[in-house]
Amino acid sequence: MSIITCIIVDDEPLAVKLLESFVAKTPQLQLEHSFTDSVEALAWLKEHPVNLAFMDIQMPDLNGMELSHMLPEGTKVIFTTAFKEYAFESYEVSAIDFLLKPIRYNKFIAAVEKAEQWFKRTEVQEERVESRNERRETMFIRVDGELRQISFDRIIYVEGMKDYVRFHIEGERQPWTTHMTMKAVEDALPQDTFMRINRSYIVRLDKIRTVDRNMCVYIGDEIIRVTEAYREDFERYCSER
C-alpha cells in the first residue's frame, strides 16, 4: 500500500490543526477529511471508508472507544488522547497505536509506520489466500464418515438443509450430504464460478441452462427461484455476459 487514506476526529480544533500539519508533511498519508464531531464522522465514514482514523477518545455524544466499534471493516485506528489510562483499553479494540497528547511528530511518524506494516502484512495475507484459491480445483467433504474429494467443475448446485448441505454432482445418482453451513460452502467455492441465488441454493454459473422471465434458474433437474436479496448480483452477472 503506497498511500494510506485517513481522517482526523477530535473535538478540539487546535488538536485537529496539529494533526493536519503532521499529515501534510507525511508523504504516505492522504487526508480525506477532518471532524470535530464524532457523530458527523461516523455518518461520513459509512459513505467514504478510509484506511486509518486518528481519533480522540474523550468526545461528547459518541466517544472514540464507542466510535471505534462502529467503523467500516478495514478502517484501523490510532488513538490520540491526553489520558494515558485509556492505553490498555485502546489495545483491546485492536488499535494500531496510542498517542498521548501533547503529540510530537517523531511519535506520530512511528505510529504511521506501524500502520504501514499492518497494511502490508494484511495485503500479503490476502494475496496468499487469493493465490491458494486460484490453484484450488477441488475440496474435501465428509460423507458417511469418510472424506470425499469433489472437483469444482463437477458440482451442479448446492442445496442447504438447516445444518446440512447436499452437493448435487455430475455423474452421481444421489447428492452427497454433509454437515456444513451454507456460509462455509460459499466461502470454500470459487467466487467467480459459483453464486448464491437464494438462502438455500448455490449454483455453478456455467451449469445454468435457462433463466426465465420470473428469474427462475433451470439447472440440472431443478428449477430455482432467484430471491430478492440475491437478485441484483445475479442480474449484474447476467448483464455482463
Side-chain angles (χ1 to χ4, degrees):
M1 176 177 291
S2 55
I3 296 295
I4 298 173
T5 58
C6 65
I7 62 166
I8 296 166
V9 188
D10 197 311
D11 63 327
E12 299 176 7
L14 290 178
V16 171
K17 285 186 178 181
L18 176 66
L19 289 172
E20 285 178 340
S21 71
F22 285 173
V23 171
K25 60 183 179 181
T26 307
Q28 59 267 54
L29 294 179
Q30 177 177 306
L31 182 63
E32 298 293 333
H33 214 297
S34 296
F35 299 91
T36 55
D37 185 315
S38 55
V39 175
E40 183 183 342
L42 178 61
W44 187 89
L45 279 169
K46 289 180 179 178
E47 299 296 327
H48 310 88
V50 296
N51 304 129
L52 186 63
F54 294 96
M55 200 155 60
D56 191 15
I57 293 179
Q58 281 204 335
M59 294 185 287
D61 298 325
L62 188 66
N63 69 45
M65 287 297 174
E66 293 167 335
L67 180 56
S68 69
H69 290 287
M70 304 177 187
L71 295 176
E73 185 178 356
T75 298
K76 302 300 291 183
V77 176
I78 293 177
F79 283 116
T80 60
T81 181
F83 302 93
K84 63 182 179 180
E85 58 266 29
Y86 289 115
F88 179 75
E89 191 177 352
S90 73
Y91 292 111
E92 286 189 323
V93 297
S94 301
I96 293 285
D97 210 345
F98 177 91
L99 296 175
L100 192 61
K101 296 177 180 179
I103 301 168
R104 298 176 63 86
Y105 184 64
N106 65 322
K107 298 291 186 181
F108 176 87
I109 198 66
V112 171
E113 288 172 355
K114 283 185 183 180
E116 276 191 298
Q117 292 303 314
W118 188 91
F119 286 117
K120 285 177 182 177
R121 287 195 302 271
T122 302
E123 283 183 350
V124 169
Q125 291 167 358
E126 289 175 349
E127 287 171 1
R128 287 174 178 169
V129 169
E130 288 177 5
S131 178
R132 286 198 299 269
N133 287 341
E134 287 173 3
R135 290 196 299 268
R136 279 182 57 193
E137 296 179 353
T138 65
M139 66 182 292
F140 283 92
I141 64 170
R142 188 170 296 279
V143 181
D144 297 331
E146 63 182 16
L147 284 174
R148 297 184 188 177
Q149 186 170 203
I150 308 177
S151 174
F152 291 148
D153 60 10
R154 292 183 59 210
I155 299 172
I156 305 170
Y157 63 91
V158 183
E159 178 185 4
M161 305 165 55
K162 292 187 178 179
D163 295 329
Y164 291 84
V165 294
R166 300 170 69 183
F167 286 82
H168 295 260
I169 304 166
E170 282 185 338
E172 299 290 336
R173 295 181 62 184
Q174 297 295 328
W176 291 1
T177 302
T178 188
H179 189 277
M180 288 180 74
T181 65
M182 287 292 281
K183 180 64 169 62
V185 175
E186 194 173 10
D187 290 342
L189 295 176
Q191 301 297 305
D192 58 338
T193 49
F194 288 87
M195 183 178 291
R196 192 165 182 175
I197 61 171
N198 71 39
R199 188 176 178 185
S200 301
Y201 287 91
I202 298 169
V203 301
R204 182 171 174 109
L205 295 163
D206 61 8
K207 303 291 187 185
I208 296 172
R209 299 194 309 277
T210 306
V211 181
D212 68 20
R213 68 181 64 185
N214 297 313
M215 293 301 289
C216 290
V217 168
Y218 292 70
I219 185 169
D221 298 324
E222 192 77 14
I223 302 173
I224 306 168
R225 180 71 177 267
V226 181
T227 55
E228 193 63 34
Y230 303 92
R231 185 165 183 159
E232 183 178 347
D233 287 341
F234 185 74
E235 286 182 335
R236 185 182 303 113
Y237 166 81
C238 292
S239 67
E240 292 172 353
R241 294 302 180 270

